[in-house]
Amino acid sequence: MARIEKILAQMRSAPTGVRFTDLTRVCDHYFGEPRHRGTSHRVYRMPWQGDPRVNIQDDHGMAKAYQVRQVVAAIERLEGEES
């Protein structure tokens, strides 16, 4: 769990320098198994109405910064609903 929290702190401070494997580890922890796992994309289902998915993409081993920000926002929303 400490490793996940460390990666999440890195994602919040510098979304441009996150490895794709670290992002998938965090998404698997918070959202479960991906609904779709393609060659370079993974789609995770969210528990709320509207656009209930987060799509992440491997960009030569790194995560795309805007997708990292989307994952962080989804985690914050998820944690807010649990409180």
Side-chain angles (χ1 to χ4, degrees), residues 9-79:
Q10 176 196 2
M11 289 168 52
R12 285 184 170 128
S13 66
T16 57
V18 179
R19 292 188 337 216
F20 182 73
T21 55
D22 289 341
L23 184 61
T24 58
R25 189 172 292 130
V26 169
C27 287
D28 288 344
H29 175 77
Y30 281 97
F31 310 132
E33 286 295 312
R35 178 178 78 169
H36 173 73
R37 183 181 296 164
T39 55
S40 64
H41 290 272
R42 287 181 179 219
V43 179
Y44 293 89
R45 187 176 292 249
M46 300 293 108
W48 50 78
Q49 295 293 325
D51 192 12
R53 58 187 154 80
V54 169
N55 180 17
I56 62 173
Q57 180 179 6
D58 187 356
D59 186 25
H60 305 290
M62 299 302 287
K64 295 190 178 226
Y66 78 95
Q67 293 172 345
V68 171
R69 287 190 287 272
Q70 288 175 347
V71 168
V72 168
I75 290 170
E76 289 172 353
R77 181 174 177 182
L78 189 64
E79 289 176 340

